[in-house]
Protein backbone atom coordinates (compact mmCIF):
# COMPACT_ATOMS: atom_id res chain seq x y z
CA UNK A 1 0.00 0.00 0.00
CA UNK A 2 1.21 3.50 -0.86
CA UNK A 3 -0.27 6.82 0.24
CA UNK A 4 -2.82 8.61 -1.97
CA UNK A 5 -0.47 11.45 -2.95
CA UNK A 6 2.36 9.04 -3.73
CA UNK A 7 0.06 6.87 -5.85
CA UNK A 8 -1.21 9.88 -7.84
CA UNK A 9 2.31 11.28 -8.28
CA UNK A 10 3.60 7.91 -9.52
CA UNK A 11 0.70 7.48 -11.96
CA UNK A 12 1.20 10.97 -13.43
CA UNK A 13 4.99 10.56 -13.66
CA UNK A 14 4.53 7.39 -15.75
CA UNK A 15 2.80 9.40 -18.49
CA UNK A 16 5.04 10.75 -21.29
CA UNK A 17 5.84 14.45 -20.92
CA UNK A 18 4.36 15.13 -24.40
CA UNK A 19 1.04 13.69 -23.29
CA UNK A 20 1.05 15.71 -20.07
CA UNK A 21 1.65 18.92 -22.06
CA UNK A 22 -1.44 18.18 -24.14
CA UNK A 23 -3.61 17.43 -21.10
CA UNK A 24 -6.26 20.06 -20.45
CA UNK A 25 -8.69 19.10 -17.71
CA UNK A 26 -10.56 20.36 -14.67
CA UNK A 27 -12.66 18.31 -12.35
CA UNK A 28 -13.86 17.48 -8.87
CA UNK A 29 -14.94 14.15 -7.42
CA UNK A 30 -16.73 13.38 -4.15
CA UNK A 31 -17.37 9.90 -2.71
CA UNK A 32 -19.31 9.25 0.47
CA UNK A 33 -17.87 5.76 1.03
CA UNK A 34 -15.11 3.68 -0.62
CA UNK A 35 -13.77 0.19 -0.01
CA UNK A 36 -10.94 -1.12 -2.19
CA UNK A 37 -8.75 -4.13 -1.28
CA UNK A 38 -9.83 -3.92 2.39
CA UNK A 39 -9.08 -0.18 2.50
CA UNK A 40 -12.09 1.64 3.95
CA UNK A 41 -12.52 5.41 3.73
CA UNK A 42 -15.42 7.85 4.01
CA UNK A 43 -16.01 11.39 2.76
CA UNK A 44 -13.44 11.44 -0.04
CA UNK A 45 -12.83 14.33 -2.40
CA UNK A 46 -10.43 14.91 -5.29
CA UNK A 47 -9.75 18.07 -7.29
CA UNK A 48 -7.81 18.10 -10.58
CA UNK A 49 -6.45 20.98 -12.63
CA UNK A 50 -4.25 20.28 -15.67
CA UNK A 51 -3.11 22.63 -18.41
CA UNK A 52 -0.14 22.62 -20.80
CA UNK A 53 2.09 20.32 -18.74
CA UNK A 54 1.15 21.68 -15.32
CA UNK A 55 -0.95 19.31 -13.21
CA UNK A 56 -2.29 19.97 -9.73
CA UNK A 57 -4.35 17.66 -7.53
CA UNK A 58 -5.78 18.10 -4.05
CA UNK A 59 -7.22 15.11 -2.21
CA UNK A 60 -8.71 14.47 1.19
CA UNK A 61 -10.38 11.80 3.31
CA UNK A 62 -12.70 13.04 6.02
CA UNK A 63 -12.80 9.76 7.96
CA UNK A 64 -9.86 7.37 7.71
CA UNK A 65 -9.36 4.82 10.51
CA UNK A 66 -10.41 7.21 13.20
CA UNK A 67 -8.59 10.17 11.68
CA UNK A 68 -8.34 12.45 8.66
CA UNK A 69 -6.09 12.67 5.62
CA UNK A 70 -5.19 15.50 3.23
CA UNK A 71 -2.64 15.76 0.46
CA UNK A 72 -1.63 17.43 -2.75
CA UNK A 73 0.49 16.82 -5.87
CA UNK A 74 2.06 19.47 -8.11
CA UNK A 75 3.64 18.28 -11.37
CA UNK A 76 5.46 20.40 -13.93
CA UNK A 77 6.34 18.80 -17.29
CA UNK A 78 6.85 22.02 -19.26
CA UNK A 79 10.65 21.68 -19.40
CA UNK A 80 12.98 18.83 -20.32
CA UNK A 81 12.52 17.05 -16.98
CA UNK A 82 9.37 16.39 -15.03
CA UNK A 83 9.31 17.97 -11.57
CA UNK A 84 7.03 16.52 -8.90
CA UNK A 85 6.19 17.84 -5.43
CA UNK A 86 3.82 16.13 -3.03
CA UNK A 87 2.52 16.93 0.43
CA UNK A 88 0.54 14.81 2.87
CA UNK A 89 -0.87 15.04 6.34
CA UNK A 90 -2.60 12.45 8.49
CA UNK A 91 -4.25 13.43 11.76
CA UNK A 92 -5.47 11.33 14.71
CA UNK A 93 -5.45 7.97 12.91
CA UNK A 94 -5.23 4.49 14.48
CA UNK A 95 -1.69 3.29 13.70
CA UNK A 96 -2.47 -0.32 14.65
CA UNK A 97 -5.26 -0.53 12.06
CA UNK A 98 -3.07 1.04 9.36
CA UNK A 99 -0.16 -1.35 10.02
CA UNK A 100 -2.51 -4.35 9.78
CA UNK A 101 -3.90 -2.92 6.56
CA UNK A 102 -0.48 -2.78 4.88
CA UNK A 103 0.52 -6.20 6.21
CA UNK A 104 3.28 -4.93 8.48
CA UNK A 105 4.60 -7.22 11.23
CA UNK A 106 5.41 -4.26 13.47
CA UNK A 107 3.23 -4.50 16.58
CA UNK A 108 2.30 -0.97 17.55
CA UNK A 109 -0.75 0.88 18.84
CA UNK A 110 -1.45 4.56 19.36
CA UNK A 111 -2.87 7.67 17.73
CA UNK A 112 -0.83 8.87 14.75
CA UNK A 113 -0.30 12.40 13.41
CA UNK A 114 2.21 12.88 10.61
CA UNK A 115 3.20 14.97 7.61
CA UNK A 116 5.43 14.73 4.55
CA UNK A 117 6.74 17.15 1.92
CA UNK A 118 8.77 15.53 -0.88
CA UNK A 119 10.19 16.69 -4.22
CA UNK A 120 11.77 14.92 -7.17
CA UNK A 121 12.85 15.62 -10.74
CA UNK A 122 13.77 13.43 -13.71
CA UNK A 123 13.00 12.23 -17.20
CA UNK A 124 10.99 9.25 -15.94
CA UNK A 125 9.55 7.75 -12.76
CA UNK A 126 12.79 5.87 -11.98
CA UNK A 127 14.91 9.03 -12.08
CA UNK A 128 12.34 10.95 -10.04
CA UNK A 129 12.28 8.18 -7.44
CA UNK A 130 16.09 8.00 -7.21
CA UNK A 131 16.38 11.75 -6.67
CA UNK A 132 13.46 12.09 -4.27
CA UNK A 133 14.18 14.26 -1.23
CA UNK A 134 12.26 16.05 1.48
CA UNK A 135 11.10 16.05 5.09
CA UNK A 136 8.77 13.87 7.15
CA UNK A 137 7.52 14.21 10.72
CA UNK A 138 5.38 12.04 12.96
CA UNK A 139 3.96 11.79 16.44
CA UNK A 140 2.28 8.94 18.31
CA UNK A 141 0.28 9.32 21.50
CA UNK A 142 -0.74 6.89 24.23
CA UNK A 143 0.18 3.51 22.78
CA UNK A 144 2.51 0.53 23.06
CA UNK A 145 5.10 -1.37 21.05
CA UNK A 146 4.97 -5.13 21.51
CA UNK A 147 8.72 -5.68 21.15
CA UNK A 148 9.82 -7.86 24.04
CA UNK A 149 13.41 -8.28 22.75
CA UNK A 150 14.10 -4.57 23.07
CA UNK A 151 12.81 -4.47 26.63
CA UNK A 152 14.98 -7.45 27.58
CA UNK A 153 18.05 -5.55 26.37
CA UNK A 154 17.00 -2.49 28.41
CA UNK A 155 16.58 -4.69 31.49
CA UNK A 156 20.07 -6.12 30.97
CA UNK A 157 21.46 -2.60 31.12
CA UNK A 158 19.37 -1.80 34.18
CA UNK A 159 20.75 -4.89 35.91
CA UNK A 160 24.33 -3.79 35.24
CA UNK A 161 23.52 -0.45 36.84
CA UNK A 162 22.09 -2.22 39.90
CA UNK A 163 18.72 -0.56 39.36
CA UNK A 164 15.32 -2.16 39.80
CA UNK A 165 14.16 -3.83 36.56
CA UNK A 166 11.14 -2.63 34.61
CA UNK A 167 7.87 -3.99 36.05
CA UNK A 168 6.60 -7.33 34.80
CA UNK A 169 3.82 -5.54 32.91
CA UNK A 170 6.42 -4.16 30.51
CA UNK A 171 7.07 -7.71 29.28
CA UNK A 172 3.99 -7.39 27.09
CA UNK A 173 5.29 -4.32 25.33
CA UNK A 174 6.72 -0.86 25.68
CA UNK A 175 3.97 1.47 26.87
CA UNK A 176 4.52 5.11 25.95
CA UNK A 177 2.80 8.45 26.29
CA UNK A 178 4.58 9.88 23.25
CA UNK A 179 6.85 8.90 20.36
CA UNK A 180 7.93 11.61 17.95
CA UNK A 181 10.56 12.37 15.37
CA UNK A 182 11.39 14.03 12.07
CA UNK A 183 13.18 12.50 9.10
CA UNK A 184 15.00 13.69 6.02
CA UNK A 185 14.75 11.64 2.83
CA UNK A 186 17.48 11.66 0.19
CA UNK A 187 17.07 9.01 -2.49
CA UNK A 188 16.52 5.75 -0.63
CA UNK A 189 17.93 6.85 2.74
CA UNK A 190 15.55 8.03 5.44
CA UNK A 191 17.56 9.60 8.26
CA UNK A 192 16.45 10.77 11.71
CA UNK A 193 18.39 12.57 14.45
CA UNK A 194 15.64 13.47 16.94
CA UNK A 195 13.65 10.37 17.81
CA UNK A 196 12.04 10.71 21.23
CA UNK A 197 10.16 8.19 23.37
CA UNK A 198 8.43 9.21 26.59
CA UNK A 199 7.46 6.35 28.88
CA UNK A 200 6.46 6.40 32.56
CA UNK A 201 9.80 5.00 33.75
CA UNK A 202 12.29 6.35 31.20
CA UNK A 203 13.02 8.77 28.37
CA UNK A 204 14.68 7.60 25.20
CA UNK A 205 16.34 9.50 22.36
CA UNK A 206 17.48 7.98 19.10
CA UNK A 207 19.13 8.58 15.75
CA UNK A 208 19.92 6.54 12.66
CA UNK A 209 18.71 5.69 9.18
CA UNK A 210 16.58 3.28 7.17
CA UNK A 211 17.09 2.27 3.54
CA UNK A 212 13.53 2.39 2.21
CA UNK A 213 14.46 0.19 -0.77
CA UNK A 214 16.08 -2.67 1.13
CA UNK A 215 14.45 -2.17 4.54
CA UNK A 216 17.86 -2.26 6.27
CA UNK A 217 18.10 -0.03 9.36
CA UNK A 218 20.80 1.18 11.71
CA UNK A 219 19.83 3.12 14.86
CA UNK A 220 21.27 4.07 18.24
CA UNK A 221 18.98 4.58 21.23
CA UNK A 222 19.97 6.26 24.49
CA UNK A 223 17.72 5.59 27.50
CA UNK A 224 17.70 7.53 30.77
CA UNK A 225 15.80 5.98 33.67
CA UNK A 226 13.46 8.21 35.65
CA UNK A 227 14.85 8.76 39.15
CA UNK A 228 11.96 10.83 40.49
CA UNK A 229 8.65 11.79 38.91
CA UNK A 230 7.71 15.46 38.75
CA UNK A 231 5.27 16.41 41.49
CA UNK A 232 4.18 19.71 39.95
CA UNK A 233 3.76 21.07 36.42
CA UNK A 234 6.80 23.33 36.78
CA UNK A 235 9.12 20.79 38.38
CA UNK A 236 11.09 18.67 35.88
CA UNK A 237 11.54 14.93 36.22
CA UNK A 238 14.88 13.71 37.56
CA UNK A 239 16.87 11.05 35.71
CA UNK A 240 19.72 8.72 36.61
CA UNK A 241 23.01 10.02 35.26
CA UNK A 242 24.10 6.83 33.48
CA UNK A 243 22.32 6.18 30.17
CA UNK A 244 21.65 2.75 28.66
CA UNK A 245 22.74 2.69 25.02
CA UNK A 246 21.24 0.15 22.60
CA UNK A 247 22.27 -0.29 18.97
CA UNK A 248 19.71 -1.63 16.48
CA UNK A 249 20.50 -3.23 13.12
CA UNK A 250 18.76 -5.54 10.69
CA UNK A 251 15.38 -4.35 9.44
CA UNK A 252 12.41 -2.61 11.03
CA UNK A 253 10.39 -5.80 10.51
CA UNK A 254 13.08 -8.03 12.08
CA UNK A 255 15.39 -5.85 14.21
CA UNK A 256 18.50 -7.03 16.06
CA UNK A 257 19.50 -5.27 19.30
CA UNK A 258 22.85 -5.04 21.07
CA UNK A 259 23.63 -3.43 24.41
CA UNK A 260 26.55 -0.98 24.05
CA UNK A 261 28.72 -2.19 26.91
CA UNK A 262 31.53 0.28 26.18
CA UNK A 263 29.20 3.26 26.46
CA UNK A 264 27.55 1.83 29.57
CA UNK A 265 30.81 1.21 31.43
CA UNK A 266 32.31 4.52 30.37
CA UNK A 267 29.30 6.47 31.58
CA UNK A 268 28.99 4.38 34.73
CA UNK A 269 32.56 5.23 35.76
CA UNK A 270 32.62 8.78 34.39
CA UNK A 271 31.83 10.38 37.75
CA UNK A 272 34.57 8.33 39.48
CA UNK A 273 37.13 9.29 36.81
CA UNK A 274 36.26 12.98 37.05
CA UNK A 275 36.53 12.86 40.84
CA UNK A 276 39.95 11.19 40.59
CA UNK A 277 41.19 13.81 38.12
CA UNK A 278 40.02 16.68 40.33
CA UNK A 279 41.90 15.27 43.34
CA UNK A 280 45.08 14.46 41.39
CA UNK A 281 45.47 17.39 39.03
CA UNK A 282 48.95 18.28 40.29
CA UNK A 283 50.22 14.69 40.01
CA UNK A 284 48.88 14.35 36.47
CA UNK A 285 50.49 17.65 35.41
CA UNK A 286 53.85 16.51 36.81
CA UNK A 287 53.52 13.19 35.00
CA UNK A 288 52.87 14.99 31.70
CA UNK A 289 55.97 17.16 32.22
CA UNK A 290 58.13 14.07 32.86
CA UNK A 291 56.79 12.35 29.74
CA UNK A 292 57.51 15.42 27.60
CA UNK A 293 61.10 15.61 28.92
CA UNK A 294 61.86 11.91 28.54
CA UNK A 295 59.95 11.03 25.36
CA UNK A 296 59.66 14.40 23.64
CA UNK A 297 57.20 17.29 23.35
CA UNK A 298 53.59 16.35 22.67
CA UNK A 299 53.54 13.07 24.56
CA UNK A 300 51.79 14.78 27.45
CA UNK A 301 49.04 15.79 25.04
CA UNK A 302 48.34 12.10 24.42
CA UNK A 303 47.70 11.72 28.14
CA UNK A 304 45.18 14.56 27.96
CA UNK A 305 43.26 12.70 25.28
CA UNK A 306 43.00 9.64 27.49
CA UNK A 307 41.21 11.72 30.12
Amino acid sequence: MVSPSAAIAAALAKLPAERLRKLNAQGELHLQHLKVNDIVADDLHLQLNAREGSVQTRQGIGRFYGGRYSGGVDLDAKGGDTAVALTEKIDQADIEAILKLIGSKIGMSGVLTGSAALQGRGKDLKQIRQGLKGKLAFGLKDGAISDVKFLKIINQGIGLLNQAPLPAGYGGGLKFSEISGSDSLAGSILRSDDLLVKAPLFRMTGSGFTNVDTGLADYRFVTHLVKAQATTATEPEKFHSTPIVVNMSGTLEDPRYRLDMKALLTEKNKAKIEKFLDKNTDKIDKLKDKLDKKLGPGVGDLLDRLF
Side-chain angles (χ1 to χ4, degrees):
M1 175 188 171
V2 296
S3 64
S5 286
I8 292 172
L12 290 172
K14 287 181 180 179
L15 298 175
E18 295 79 8
R19 186 173 177 182
L20 288 170
R21 295 186 190 110
K22 295 178 182 178
L23 187 63
N24 187 0
Q26 261 190 335
E28 190 169 348
L29 174 68
H30 287 269
L31 291 174
Q32 187 174 6
H33 178 76
L34 177 67
K35 183 177 181 180
V36 179
N37 296 330
D38 295 326
I39 301 173
V40 179
D42 294 308
D43 189 20
L44 292 84
H45 69 271
L46 171 66
Q47 292 180 327
L48 169 67
N49 286 286
R51 184 177 179 84
E52 299 177 349
S54 178
V55 183
Q56 182 185 81
T57 74
R58 296 294 180 266
Q59 49 276 349
I61 304 175
R63 290 183 295 280
F64 183 69
Y65 292 93
R68 298 177 296 278
Y69 168 88
S70 62
V73 174
D74 291 274
L75 182 144
D76 187 344
K78 294 178 181 179
D81 291 341
T82 297
V84 178
L86 66 91
T87 58
E88 294 188 292
K89 184 176 181 180
I90 191 166
D91 187 46
Q92 301 293 306
D94 182 353
I95 185 65
E96 185 174 16
I98 294 174
L99 289 172
K100 287 181 180 178
L101 177 66
I102 64 177
S104 174
K105 296 179 182 179
I106 299 174
M108 180 182 293
S109 64
V111 180
L112 171 67
T113 295
S115 63
L118 305 176
Q119 307 85 37
R121 177 184 291 271
K123 297 187 181 301
D124 53 33
L125 179 60
K126 184 178 180 180
Q127 282 191 358
I128 294 172
R129 170 65 187 81
Q130 290 175 340
L132 201 63
K133 60 183 180 180
K135 299 289 186 181
L136 301 91
F138 72 94
L140 281 166
K141 295 286 188 181
D142 302 324
I145 303 175
S146 56
D147 192 334
V148 178
K149 291 187 294 184
F150 186 82
L151 295 172
K152 286 183 178 179
I153 295 293
I154 294 294
N155 265 331
Q156 286 179 16
I158 292 173
L160 291 172
L161 295 176
N162 297 320
Q163 302 292 336
L166 298 177
Y170 272 75
L174 167 62
K175 298 177 178 64
F176 60 84
S177 59
E178 177 186 346
I179 296 181
S180 63
S182 61
D183 302 273
S184 60
L185 176 67
S188 60
I189 303 300
L190 188 65
R191 187 175 299 277
S192 177
D193 295 314
D194 61 354
L195 292 173
L196 173 66
V197 180
K198 291 184 178 181
L201 298 181
F202 59 83
R203 293 291 180 270
M204 184 186 300
T205 58
S207 61
F209 68 88
T210 300
N211 187 313
V212 296
D213 288 338
T214 64
L216 292 175
D218 191 337
Y219 287 86
R220 179 180 174 86
F221 299 99
V222 180
T223 301
H224 283 89
L225 303 177
V226 174
K227 190 175 184 179
Q229 298 282 355
T231 55
T232 65
T234 57
E235 180 186 357
E237 289 178 308
K238 296 180 181 179
F239 299 94
H240 290 279
S241 59
T242 304
I244 299 169
V245 180
V246 177
N247 296 314
M248 190 198 90
S249 59
T251 67
L252 295 181
E253 296 284 350
D254 186 22
R256 297 190 298 271
Y257 301 109
R258 180 176 59 84
L259 185 65
D260 192 330
M261 293 296 297
K262 182 179 178 181
L264 183 65
L265 294 175
T266 300
E267 290 296 334
K268 184 177 181 180
N269 294 305
K270 186 176 180 180
K272 294 180 182 178
I273 293 172
E274 290 177 347
K275 186 176 180 180
F276 171 81
L277 292 176
D278 288 340
K279 288 185 175 180
N280 296 276
T281 301
D282 293 338
K283 293 181 181 179
I284 292 173
D285 288 340
K286 290 179 180 178
L287 176 59
K288 288 192 294 182
D289 290 338
K290 289 181 179 180
L291 288 173
D292 284 338
K293 290 176 181 178
K294 289 187 176 183
L295 301 178
V299 178
D301 292 338
L302 295 176
L303 191 63
D304 284 333
R305 294 175 192 175
L306 292 175
F307 296 105

